[in-house]
Amino acid sequence: AAGMFLRLLSDIQWRAANPKWRRMTSSQRSTSTTAEPHPVPLPAQAQVVICGGGVVGTSVAYHLSKMGWKDIVLLEQGRLAAGTTRFCAGIVSTARPVSIELKMAHYSNKLYQQLEQETGVQTGYMKTGSISLAQTQDRLISLKRIASSLNVMGIPCEIISPKKVLQLHPLINIHDLVGAMYVPEDALVSSANVSLALATAASRNGVQIHERTSVSHVTIQKGHVTGVETDRGRIQCEYFVNCAGQWAYELGHSGEEPVHIPLHACEHFYLLTHPLKEPLSSSLPTIVDPDGRIYIRNWQGGILSGGFEKNPKPLFTEGRNQLEIQNLQEDWDHFAPLLSGLLRRMPGLESLQIKQLVNCPESFTPDMRCIMGESPTARGYFVLAGMNSAGISYGGGAGKYLAEWIVNGYPSENVWPLDLKRFGTLQSSRTFLRHRVMEVMPLMYDLKVPRWDFQTGRQLRTSPLYDRLDAQGARWMEKHGFERVKYFVPPGNDLLDLDHSKTFYKPDWFDIVGSEVKCCKEAVCVIDMSSFTKFEISSTGDQALESLQYLFSNDLDVPVGHVVHTGMLNEKGGYENDCSIARLSKRSFFMISPTDQQVHCWAWLKNRLPDDSNLVLEDVTWKYTALNLIGPRAVDVLSELSYAPMTAEHFPSLFCKEMSVGYANGIRVMSITHTGEPGFVLYIPIEYALHVYNEVMNMGQKYGIRNAGYYALRSLRIEKFFAFWGQDLDAFTTPMECGREFQVKLDKGIEFLGQEVLLEQKQNGVYKRFTMFILEDHDTDMDLWPWWGEPIFRNGRYVGKTTSSAYSYTLERHVCLGFVHHFDEKTGEKLVVTTDFINQGEYEIDIAGQRFQAKAKLYPFSSLFTQRRRKDEVELSGYQRE
């Protein structure tokens, strides 16, 4: 094919331009697949070894060399860009729903635009623009939400009519369209040539590149990378980067200490045609028709069209596959639905001659987001893989963030949504991955409304109460593989309707969650919160206290039985974790963290706690079932069950005590609910879970007890202005920026991680501020709902985005939480955000292009807090200290 010839041509030009390469590859034949001599031996050692010569691996090498690191070796088992990169469709698209992915794609586009000039290698970069089509109103809403995000980032984008689509692309059938999104700066490239251009620049900066060199495994000693074993000898190194694409999983499992990289390959089909009678213009926009499950781009006067079918074919579940990807078997029967979608969208193609049906492997991950970051078990082992068919769009930006991570210890943006540590070992089962990617691939183009859930790989981690709750009408969602209840469907409701209520508007569960919230405020509810991450830290002497005092911002030297809310901060003062720690004894602590912290927090603590055999960190998540009793009558239920007084005088706020409940001993009871409502969380050894639950439900009957789920919890915590880690808080947010100064003890007598930054912020002010917004002119029944990620405008200017939203059944209004920044109107420079700046603005929240007035608040409504007792008073007093 001509495209292949161009790739080989640029390959030859690039090598010719590099004398070092001429020496290395003089005896190679560009099309040979047999083993060949290697005139240049591998170095004995290097600072960084990168495995994988596709667009991702070459991007990491390019960016590391740009940051001044020179001692880098890139190894490719076949030839550069001969894997998935070689077959990539070459569409650079910035229209992404996840903010960090959007930023990566935007950076990639800008990088590729100037790459040819920088390297002299033709990349085929052509700014064509892209048009995403909507056949339904819901699809148009999802496009409008993306368009809002693009516009505030300064990326040109507009929602256009079907007629405008026809003007931009005259061959498109528009009869079934309701609208579209046009992104004029999206582009096309030759993916393989981009990869070669990145390699050329890296090579000029000192990176050594060796083809036909296979990595057999990575050696790890004392939890740190020490070297790489290849078929041509060993290289000692400090850092290893696994950019092996679909081979990343096997490579991760090849060593004595496995690194789990959950991805799985599927066959991906696209069609190439001969040129049309009137060859297509090279500047015609790319068409993405998600409702038709296809994409269409021009290709040498003809078209290239592929898609994401509903019945994908997973590949290589059994393990290793070939070194270089050859075109897999054509399967016209399998491609038929996509072909008919193409002919519906471009009816004029019926007489067109087909050149080839390309079938190549693409790697997909369990949640459709790529995998990036450092292994939780091996220091210096980094991963960048699982691009979900968007390798060329993300390659540039992802390589940049990973290079920053390696050089600086952290990237310049919050990449938690992509972090390898969001997965545990449980997502690495081949059976799980095979089943999940069969769901993931069609989801690439399925309409994803807020709060949708994966259907495969479920009921993996469950509470002992799962069957009991399920029988009572529980509806489930999954977090970190753990089943959690969304809400309970009362008897007599139409269950089928609720399971299929997918909408951007008011959902069908609205009244159900409302009644659960009402019960939490007036009586007592039980929420199973067993999924929370639970660690115990203990020592023979003071090692546990001393270590935790350094790693946490609040003062943990409190009397035994007290519970402390605290941040686990990084060097920049940002939240690596937000947790509650109970002091069980002088030398032992019980730590409660969000569900998805299980791997991340363990790795963070392990890497920073002293290597002392007298200091023990234990993950006890599986040992305890957690029941959250929320509501004013929780105190009555627990008093009767334990025959112990539970009033504030006997059981003060933020307190922890081991008690008997019913017949069961050793229940850790904490006066805390994570919502601001009164109540307790019971941490129950799992063998007693069913007994304690039954006792609580039986005793609670006379107090109006009922089950509740996480949707009620979310509504309660958001109306109380409580931030949650992973949604509102991240590694780039400090306690000073989110009104949590009271959880920081700058004068505790021991220096803690991040303290310098917080002292500076206390003195000089902050550049963003966590703010609560109450929507004013919003009709809950008729208007689109805010969910998260909506742009915030102050006096007509963009100042930030929402991080979480919920309907407050108490205020009867929508509440959005988010961060407000202050940008200089002329220079765009970040300025200090003051209380006056927040209070003196007129605010609007943009929901899919429609703006709604909002009232900004820096403190929760005190009237919402039950004045009786508990955590509310403690936290509220903290909020009111500015």
Side-chain angles (χ1 to χ4, degrees):
M4 206 52 218
F5 172 73
L6 278 175
R7 198 198 80 78
L8 293 173
L9 184 66
S10 68
D11 200 346
I12 292 158
Q13 288 169 344
W14 170 50
R15 289 150 202 253
N18 289 272
K20 182 168 60 175
W21 271 85
R22 283 209 301 274
R23 290 197 302 275
M24 276 178 62
T25 59
S26 58
S27 62
Q28 293 188 8
R29 298 284 184 273
S30 63
T31 54
S32 168
T33 55
T34 57
E36 292 159 355
H38 297 269
V40 177
L42 293 182
Q45 61 186 63
Q47 190 176 10
V48 185
V49 174
I50 300 167
C51 175
V55 70
V56 169
T58 53
S59 175
V60 174
Y62 170 87
H63 286 96
L64 281 172
S65 68
K66 282 276 184 185
M67 294 180 77
W69 283 28
K70 306 296 182 192
D71 188 12
I72 299 165
V73 175
L74 187 149
L75 305 177
E76 164 54 50
Q77 62 180 350
R79 289 170 55 251
L80 284 177
T84 297
T85 299
R86 171 181 158 200
F87 288 103
C88 177
I91 299 167
V92 184
S93 163
T94 49
R96 307 285 168 180
V98 180
S99 174
I100 186 65
E101 292 179 341
L102 195 160
K103 288 174 182 172
M104 290 195 307
H106 183 47
Y107 173 84
S108 297
N109 196 340
K110 289 194 294 187
L111 173 68
Y112 304 157
Q113 199 169 347
Q114 54 85 38
L115 207 51
E116 196 167 312
Q117 189 180 353
E118 181 186 343
T119 62
V121 177
Q122 292 187 349
T123 58
Y125 183 91
M126 170 70 74
K127 196 175 282 187
T128 61
S130 72
I131 303 172
S132 299
L133 309 179
Q135 295 182 29
T136 66
Q137 286 300 332
D138 269 353
R139 177 70 68 183
L140 191 58
I141 290 164
S142 74
L143 293 178
K144 285 177 177 176
R145 288 177 65 86
I146 293 170
S148 292
S149 293
L150 289 170
N151 283 324
V152 296
M153 274 193 66
I155 300 169
C157 171
E158 58 178 315
I159 298 296
I160 59 175
S161 67
K163 280 184 182 172
K164 183 72 187 287
V165 173
L166 198 58
Q167 288 170 18
L168 291 166
H169 202 306
L171 296 177
I172 293 296
N173 172 13
I174 62 166
H175 79 278
D176 57 350
L177 301 183
V178 296
M181 177 176 71
Y182 177 45
V183 185
E185 292 191 356
D186 278 357
L188 297 177
V189 292
S190 161
S191 309
N193 290 3
V194 164
S195 192
L196 295 171
L198 291 166
T200 299
S203 179
R204 287 178 190 161
N205 282 335
V207 175
Q208 296 184 53
I209 300 177
H210 295 266
E211 295 180 303
R212 310 232 176 260
T213 307
S214 292
V215 174
S216 59
H217 66 273
V218 179
T219 54
I220 296 163
Q221 286 177 6
K222 294 182 179 175
H224 205 294
V225 167
T226 57
V228 175
E229 296 288 348
T230 78
D231 58 353
R232 295 176 53 208
R234 174 180 168 79
I235 307 175
Q236 281 185 290
C237 63
E238 292 176 60
Y239 299 94
F240 175 74
V241 190
N242 184 339
C243 299
Q246 57 169 320
W247 294 278
Y249 178 97
E250 281 84 15
L251 181 56
H253 279 255
S254 64
E256 288 178 15
E257 296 182 43
V259 173
H260 300 286
I261 304 165
L263 53 80
H264 197 296
C266 277
E267 294 182 25
H268 179 59
F269 295 88
Y270 62 78
L271 185 74
L272 297 172
T273 75
H274 288 284
L276 280 72
K277 281 180 187 168
E278 270 188 50
L280 285 182
S281 159
S282 60
S283 60
L284 266 184
T286 296
I287 298 293
V288 179
D289 182 7
D291 297 312
R293 314 199 74 81
I294 55 166
Y295 57 82
I296 309 163
R297 58 157 285 193
N298 65 71
W299 184 75
Q300 299 176 6
I303 66 155
L304 180 160
S305 177
F308 298 101
E309 63 274 24
K310 286 186 174 180
N311 56 333
K313 297 166 72 176
L315 271 170
F316 311 130
T317 304
E318 299 75 24
R320 280 207 173 271
N321 46 35
Q322 70 270 32
L323 292 185
E324 290 184 12
I325 298 171
Q326 310 303 325
N327 192 6
L328 300 165
Q329 292 294 309
E330 290 187 346
D331 188 340
W332 283 103
D333 290 341
H334 193 78
F335 190 71
L338 298 181
L339 181 59
S340 63
L342 169 64
L343 294 175
R344 270 198 307 276
R345 190 54 60 213
M346 292 179 75
L349 296 183
E350 292 217 352
S351 58
L352 196 60
Q353 271 193 304
I354 290 168
K355 187 183 183 78
Q356 189 184 4
L357 180 62
V358 177
N359 174 5
C360 66
E362 285 274 9
S363 304
F364 295 88
T365 63
D367 60 0
M368 294 188 293
R369 299 197 297 266
C370 76
I371 295 172
M372 171 191 292
E374 190 173 17
S375 158
T377 53
R379 299 296 302 272
Y381 192 121
F382 285 82
V383 178
L384 185 53
M387 291 290 150
N388 299 284
S389 202
I392 197 66
S393 291
Y394 298 153
K400 171 178 179 276
Y401 291 142
L402 195 77
E404 291 170 345
W405 203 331
I406 293 168
V407 174
N408 302 326
Y410 49 85
S412 58
E413 294 280 352
N414 172 36
V415 296
W416 170 248
L418 315 176
D419 194 326
L420 171 63
K421 291 184 281 294
R422 72 188 187 272
F423 296 119
T425 53
L426 55 97
Q427 282 98 351
S428 278
S429 145
R430 284 311 257 177
T431 309
F432 166 81
L433 288 169
R434 184 181 175 88
H435 291 173
R436 176 57 66 85
V437 296
M438 290 173 75
E439 179 183 14
V440 158
M441 195 169 158
L443 273 169
M444 301 299 291
Y445 275 175
D446 280 352
L447 181 67
K448 290 176 282 295
V449 298
R451 312 266 177 96
W452 59 274
D453 301 294
F454 289 107
Q455 302 303 309
T456 53
R458 296 293 298 270
Q459 296 179 35
L460 197 55
R461 299 174 73 197
T462 58
S463 152
L465 305 177
Y466 179 87
D467 288 341
R468 196 64 191 271
L469 301 177
D470 197 55
Q472 294 177 78
R475 286 293 170 269
W476 301 92
M477 60 182 177
E478 167 251 339
K479 184 81 172 276
H480 202 66
F482 215 114
E483 296 293 331
R484 315 202 302 182
V485 182
K486 296 191 275 194
Y487 49 79
F488 286 82
V489 179
N493 274 53
D494 189 339
L495 308 190
L496 200 64
D497 274 4
L498 274 166
D499 282 346
H500 294 94
S501 63
K502 295 182 176 178
T503 179
F504 290 99
Y505 290 90
K506 179 181 175 181
D508 290 353
W509 44 256
F510 180 81
D511 292 330
I512 292 173
V513 173
S515 61
E516 290 180 9
V517 167
K518 187 171 189 286
C519 186
C520 286
K521 287 182 171 294
E522 295 176 2
V524 55
C525 276
V526 180
I527 302 181
D528 183 345
M529 296 178 71
S530 304
S531 68
F532 271 15
T533 298
K534 301 174 273 289
F535 293 163
E536 283 179 11
I537 302 114
S538 56
S539 59
T540 53
D542 292 334
Q543 301 97 323
L545 176 64
E546 287 168 7
S547 302
L548 296 182
Q549 285 285 59
Y550 171 68
L551 291 172
F552 293 89
S553 59
N554 211 335
D555 190 356
L556 294 173
D557 194 2
V558 291
V560 170
H562 282 242
V563 181
V564 176
H565 282 287
T566 180
M568 182 174 84
L569 309 182
N570 54 37
E571 291 82 353
K572 305 184 302 300
Y575 280 96
E576 291 295 333
N577 185 10
D578 178 44
C579 52
S580 306
I581 299 180
R583 191 167 193 179
L584 300 178
S585 71
K586 282 279 185 194
R587 292 166 182 170
S588 68
F589 296 83
F590 186 47
M591 176 177 169
I592 312 298
S593 306
T595 304
D596 49 5
Q597 276 279 359
Q598 191 166 16
V599 177
H600 172 71
C601 182
W602 177 268
W604 182 268
L605 290 173
K606 269 290 183 193
N607 291 337
R608 285 161 183 80
L609 288 171
D611 189 10
D612 183 343
S613 59
N614 295 315
L615 179 65
V616 179
L617 170 67
E618 186 185 359
D619 185 346
V620 294
T621 300
W622 61 276
K623 284 188 178 180
Y624 293 95
T625 296
L627 288 182
N628 195 348
L629 264 66
I630 303 179
R633 307 313 298 264
V635 61
D636 302 307
V637 174
L638 218 48
S639 294
E640 290 201 41
L641 277 174
S642 60
Y643 289 96
M646 301 296 291
T647 53
E649 305 82 65
H650 298 92
F651 207 113
S653 183
L654 293 172
F655 197 67
C656 173
K657 189 154 57 172
E658 276 209 358
M659 299 175 61
S660 300
V661 177
Y663 297 154
N665 274 326
I667 313 293
R668 290 177 185 170
V669 179
M670 291 192 197
S671 47
I672 175 179
T673 64
H674 308 284
T675 60
E677 299 296 330
F680 306 87
V681 180
L682 280 55
Y683 290 95
I684 308 158
I686 56 167
E687 62 265 39
Y688 302 144
L690 209 53
H691 168 74
V692 172
Y693 174 77
N694 290 339
E695 291 289 300
V696 165
M697 293 306 282
N698 290 336
M699 184 62 72
Q701 290 299 318
K702 61 185 174 188
Y703 299 109
I705 199 165
R706 66 179 286 173
N707 292 300
Y710 272 79
Y711 283 11
L713 189 92
R714 169 188 281 258
S715 174
L716 290 167
R717 73 97 179 164
I718 287 177
E719 72 178 18
K720 294 289 186 356
F721 202 6
F722 282 12
F724 264 30
W725 189 90
Q727 295 168 37
D728 312 299
L729 307 178
D730 59 40
F732 288 80
T733 303
T734 73
M736 305 303 188
E737 293 164 344
C738 61
R740 291 189 169 195
E741 300 89 335
F742 63 97
Q743 290 182 9
V744 175
K745 297 295 183 284
L746 293 166
D747 55 356
K748 64 179 178 178
I750 296 175
E751 190 180 330
F752 60 85
L753 208 54
Q755 183 171 2
E756 272 183 45
V757 176
L758 301 190
L759 281 165
E760 188 190 327
Q761 286 189 337
K762 186 178 182 182
Q763 198 171 336
N764 302 330
V766 294
Y767 292 94
K768 63 177 180 180
R769 193 76 190 265
F770 195 49
T771 310
M772 178 180 189
F773 297 94
I774 294 89
L775 294 191
E776 305 230 291
D777 58 345
H778 183 270
D779 186 326
T780 305
D781 294 319
M782 302 303 294
D783 289 326
L784 285 169
W785 274 30
W787 296 96
W788 61 82
E790 290 86 12
I792 302 164
F793 290 86
R794 178 187 180 275
N795 299 348
R797 289 175 60 82
Y798 170 68
V799 290
K801 281 188 173 182
T802 64
T803 50
S804 52
S805 303
Y807 182 80
S808 165
Y809 293 88
T810 316
L811 298 171
E812 298 184 344
R813 287 274 186 282
H814 255 99
V815 177
C816 302
L817 309 182
F819 286 91
V820 171
H821 301 75
H822 185 185
F823 302 109
D824 186 282
E825 292 195 19
K826 289 178 184 152
T827 63
E829 182 193 352
K830 283 189 175 183
L831 303 173
V832 169
V833 178
T834 62
T835 306
D836 285 347
F837 179 80
I838 300 284
N839 292 336
Q840 291 168 10
E842 297 283 327
Y843 292 90
E844 293 171 303
I845 307 291
D846 178 322
I847 306 177
Q850 187 179 355
R851 294 189 190 181
F852 295 92
Q853 288 178 358
K855 183 176 175 57
K857 288 179 68 68
L858 284 170
Y859 312 105
F861 289 90
S862 53
S863 59
L864 287 180
F865 285 82
T866 314
Q867 292 307 315
R868 286 176 60 184
R869 59 194 225 108
R870 300 247 182 278
K871 158 179 172 179
D872 343 19
E873 293 147 20
V874 177
E875 299 220 347
L876 198 55
S877 65
Y879 271 115
Q880 288 167 340
R881 277 209 309 275
E882 259 234 300

